[in-house]
Amino acid sequence: MASLERSKLIGVIDAGTNSVRFVIFKLPEFEEIASHQIRITQIVPRDGWTEHNPVEVLEAVRLCAVEACHQVEKLGFLVKDIAAIGITNQRETTVVWDKNTGEPLYNAIVWNDIRTDKTVDRVLARLPEQNHNHFRALSGLPISPYFSALKLNWLKDNVVAVRKACRERRCYAGTIDTWLVWNLTGGPQGGAFVTDVTNASRTLLMNIETLHWDPLLTKTFSVHPDMLPEIRSSSEVYGKVKDSSVLDGIPISAILGNQQASLVGQRCLKEGQAKNTYRKGCFLLYNTGTRCVQSTHGLVTTVAYQMGRNAPPIYALEGSVAVAGVAMNWLRDNLKIIKDIKDSEEIAGSVSSTGDVYFVPAFTGLYAPYWRKDARGIFCGLTSFTTKHHFVRAALEAVCFQTRDIIEAMKKDCGINLNKLHTDGIMASNSLLMQLQADLSGIPVLRTEVHEPAALGTAMAAAQANGVDLYKLEAEIRGYAGVQSHHETFLPTTTEEERNARYTKWKMAVQRSLGWAVSKKSEAMTDERYSLLASIPAGLFLATTFLMLVHSQRR
């Protein structure tokens, strides 16, 4: 009887871009009582490429779990008090491995890696009008280097071991959640080969409405269905840990991509609610309920969550900003303008404005709502009075303007004005940034006091899974008393005329950033027009070009 009265615990594996954490929550309050974190090595073989060692990620999970469990034992709990484990992970990051040995066939290609530019060109060359949005109705996504299908295509084309394993039907492929669950539940000895709907919706291979791998998409990207995991809901028991670790025998009962998990942790569970996470990039998700809204303004349609096999999927519109915190790193490491990122608030706050300076941080192109890989970063409006303080403030404002771009696109897609924005992430601790966001978007900004809402949202999903039954998410959705939430609110202090005038100048700056990275057309994109140019004799081509230049000068 005494054991039944013990507090129940939920463990969460949080596998992010830079680090892995294991967090333990105590129910019913979902109080975080223990955690341990290990940084992950960032492997950069070339500019624009980012990789992780999948084995390092797995071992970091195990080490973090051991340390966190030692912490809870010191608090008087037992490891067996952990009723279930949830997993939240960096999305789109792609792993391939040998299903017979469990050995990775290549490093994991991280979500922000842009090596697949030419792969995108080859795919587009086969599509009508080379349309990036050709598969949007099926997948909810544009064709972009961002998504897993392109990474898989590149691996098959460029890595002999992957191509051979695919040919011999022994290649497994998945996102980080799939790699972890498979290994933790037995690996080659019967490990569960699964993913959830939130991660699958970021691959460009899942049908956004049927929630199954789509035959047309898998054929287009040359991905054999046998390579791919079974798609399951975000909250159910997938299997028990069987790797002789400290977690042995504990069920894994939730999987959520980190941004969807943050949406749940922020309790944005009703249609019309939205959250933005400010980290290296920004990720704004807008809950559209059971409606699968197809964006016509540059956003992506994604699955927000599905809380059980028989539960309806909940959808979201998402806008991703490639460069947010990365811009602060750049100011510190490349330009040496700031010594510590924490100083950015004080430096930017020492001037009352940017001095009419605008910064478009398109280091690797622009993501939503532009999807322009040819964009590059620029500063506009410099004068002899511009100082480093204006640069830093302009970098903070760039984050806010990019967020407003997404909010405006969501308004056009849904026809509804957002009335508040929930915020989290490491950059959200910058109060000036939060105030600027309220001022430049014209809506209240609510900063959560929860340090990592993604871990909390995953714990909620794991606890409410059928078979665990320690929590009812429905109570949260209906507004009944559940997990307590506290926010600090930042209200707009600017006039509509002022913020719109500044936003107009931002859009001007964005236009000036486009078209810089015009690379040589790949062979796949070379059509008859380019062949015709190549056939013109060099002398005639130069003479024609000269006459065109003279004519343009006269005009």
Side-chain angles (χ1 to χ4, degrees):
M1 183 69 180
S3 62
L4 295 176
E5 296 171 353
R6 295 184 64 86
S7 295
K8 288 294 184 182
L9 309 177
I10 296 290
V12 173
I13 296 167
D14 184 351
T17 308
N18 295 304
S19 64
V20 164
R21 290 198 312 149
F22 192 87
V23 191
I24 299 176
F25 294 88
K26 181 169 76 71
L27 274 57
E29 303 89 354
F30 285 90
E31 174 192 358
E32 183 180 320
I33 61 170
S35 71
H36 189 74
Q37 182 170 336
I38 294 175
R39 292 195 68 80
I40 298 299
T41 305
Q42 305 299 305
I43 303 166
V44 185
R46 299 185 195 175
D47 289 346
W49 293 27
T50 310
E51 300 174 359
H52 290 161
N53 181 341
V55 175
E56 180 187 356
V57 174
L58 178 62
E59 288 308 309
V61 166
R62 290 170 172 148
L63 289 171
C64 286
V66 168
E67 291 300 322
C69 287
H70 284 166
Q71 291 175 32
V72 296
E73 287 175 338
K74 290 178 181 177
L75 295 173
F77 296 95
L78 302 175
V79 174
K80 68 180 181 180
D81 293 329
I82 301 175
I85 297 166
I87 294 177
T88 183
N89 59 286
Q90 50 170 307
R91 306 168 306 165
E92 296 97 17
T93 296
T94 306
V95 188
V96 285
W97 68 97
D98 188 316
K99 69 178 184 181
N100 298 326
T101 66
E103 292 296 317
L105 297 166
Y106 192 79
N107 280 334
I109 301 181
V110 179
W111 62 273
N112 57 2
D113 184 291
I114 60 169
R115 76 183 64 188
T116 58
D117 270 358
K118 290 182 179 178
T119 308
V120 170
D121 287 347
R122 283 199 299 275
V123 172
L124 290 176
R126 302 195 299 266
L127 301 178
E129 300 178 357
Q130 298 170 1
N131 182 7
H132 284 79
N133 294 314
H134 185 78
F135 295 120
R136 188 180 282 275
L138 275 179
S139 67
L141 309 174
I143 300 169
S144 162
Y146 195 27
F147 304 111
S148 304
L150 281 304
K151 294 171 169 56
L152 280 176
N153 204 272
W154 184 93
L155 286 163
K156 288 187 67 177
D157 287 345
N158 294 277
V159 181
V160 173
V162 175
R163 194 158 56 246
K164 188 170 186 288
C166 290
R167 194 164 53 244
E168 296 172 0
R169 294 286 189 267
R170 54 183 173 82
C171 180
Y172 269 178
T175 40
I176 290 292
D177 57 300
T178 301
W179 166 252
L180 293 177
V181 173
W182 185 79
N183 278 284
L184 293 173
T185 57
Q189 284 73 49
F193 188 44
V194 298
T195 189
D196 91 302
V197 289
T198 67
N199 281 288
S201 72
R202 313 296 297 188
T203 61
L204 198 52
L205 295 169
M206 187 189 84
N207 186 302
I208 196 69
E209 296 200 19
T210 67
L211 308 185
H212 292 105
W213 301 122
D214 188 273
L216 177 59
L217 294 173
T218 54
K219 182 179 179 181
T220 298
F221 295 103
S222 303
V223 177
H224 196 280
D226 288 351
M227 294 171 60
L228 300 172
E230 179 186 357
I231 301 173
R232 306 272 282 271
S233 78
S234 308
S235 177
E236 60 178 274
V237 175
Y238 313 103
K240 293 184 178 181
V241 177
K242 296 177 184 175
D243 71 343
S244 302
S245 72
V246 68
L247 304 175
D248 196 58
I250 300 174
I252 299 174
S253 62
I255 302 172
L256 282 162
N258 55 7
Q259 300 309 322
Q260 288 94 330
S262 176
L263 189 79
V264 176
Q266 285 268 33
R267 264 79 84 209
C268 294
L269 303 171
K270 296 179 181 177
E271 184 177 346
Q273 292 183 313
K275 71 89 199 175
N276 196 19
T277 298
Y278 299 76
R279 302 183 71 86
K280 277 191 165 185
C282 278
F283 304 91
L284 200 160
L285 270 71
Y286 178 97
N287 188 326
T288 63
T290 54
R291 289 191 305 148
C292 182
V293 177
Q294 291 290 348
S295 176
T296 56
H297 296 90
L299 305 179
V300 303
T301 305
T302 195
V303 180
Y305 53 83
Q306 184 189 19
M307 293 300 173
R309 290 193 182 193
N310 299 319
I314 302 300
Y315 292 94
L317 284 173
E318 177 174 342
S320 302
V321 172
V323 177
V326 168
M328 295 296 119
N329 293 343
W330 179 73
L331 291 174
R332 179 194 64 194
D333 301 335
N334 293 36
L335 299 192
K336 314 296 182 185
I337 285 177
I338 56 177
K339 290 183 179 178
D340 193 308
I341 292 173
K342 294 177 182 177
D343 299 335
S344 63
E345 183 173 356
E346 181 182 349
I347 293 171
S350 67
V351 289
S352 59
S353 73
T354 65
D356 214 25
V357 171
Y358 291 80
F359 174 40
V360 183
F363 297 149
T364 57
L366 288 170
Y367 284 15
Y370 305 101
W371 297 105
R372 290 289 295 268
K373 65 180 182 177
D374 64 337
R376 286 298 178 265
I378 60 168
F379 277 101
C380 294
L382 305 185
T383 69
S384 60
F385 301 103
T386 301
T387 68
K388 70 174 184 179
H389 305 83
H390 298 114
F391 278 145
V392 176
R393 192 177 182 101
L396 291 179
E397 287 197 355
V399 177
C400 303
F401 281 127
Q402 291 176 100
T403 298
R404 176 165 174 179
D405 281 337
I406 294 168
I407 292 171
E408 294 292 326
M410 288 179 174
K411 186 190 304 182
K412 292 172 184 174
D413 280 331
C414 296
I416 301 170
N417 288 327
L418 193 65
N419 58 19
K420 61 185 175 183
L421 180 65
H422 296 261
T423 64
D424 61 77
I426 191 166
M427 280 192 79
S429 61
N430 186 322
S431 294
L432 175 61
L433 176 65
M434 295 295 96
Q435 186 59 56
L436 288 172
Q437 186 67 78
D439 289 342
L440 295 175
S441 59
I443 57 175
V445 170
L446 280 63
R447 179 171 63 188
T448 180
E449 67 171 12
V450 178
H451 180 57
E452 292 287 352
L456 173 60
T458 307
M460 293 161 65
Q464 74 101 52
N466 185 30
V468 180
D469 305 314
L470 293 174
Y471 170 68
K472 293 188 180 297
L473 193 71
E474 285 297 318
E476 294 281 351
I477 296 171
R478 292 174 185 151
Y480 299 152
V483 181
Q484 294 302 305
S485 176
H486 302 284
H487 299 92
E488 183 177 359
T489 302
F490 297 83
L491 299 174
T493 60
T494 55
T495 65
E496 184 176 3
E497 183 181 12
E498 180 184 352
R499 75 176 66 101
N500 287 342
R502 303 212 56 222
Y503 186 56
T504 297
K505 279 200 169 181
W506 159 258
K507 300 291 277 187
M508 290 168 57
V510 168
Q511 287 303 310
R512 285 159 171 77
S513 77
L514 303 178
W516 287 95
V518 180
S519 58
K520 182 181 177 182
K521 290 283 182 180
S522 68
E523 291 180 7
M525 293 290 280
T526 303
D527 58 19
E528 292 177 1
R529 289 168 294 172
Y530 304 112
S531 299
L532 180 61
L533 281 174
S535 68
I536 298 174
L540 178 59
F541 179 78
L542 290 171
T544 305
T545 304
F546 174 74
L547 289 172
M548 289 173 65
L549 286 170
V550 171
H551 180 66
S552 66
Q553 291 295 322
R554 287 176 178 171
R555 292 181 65 188

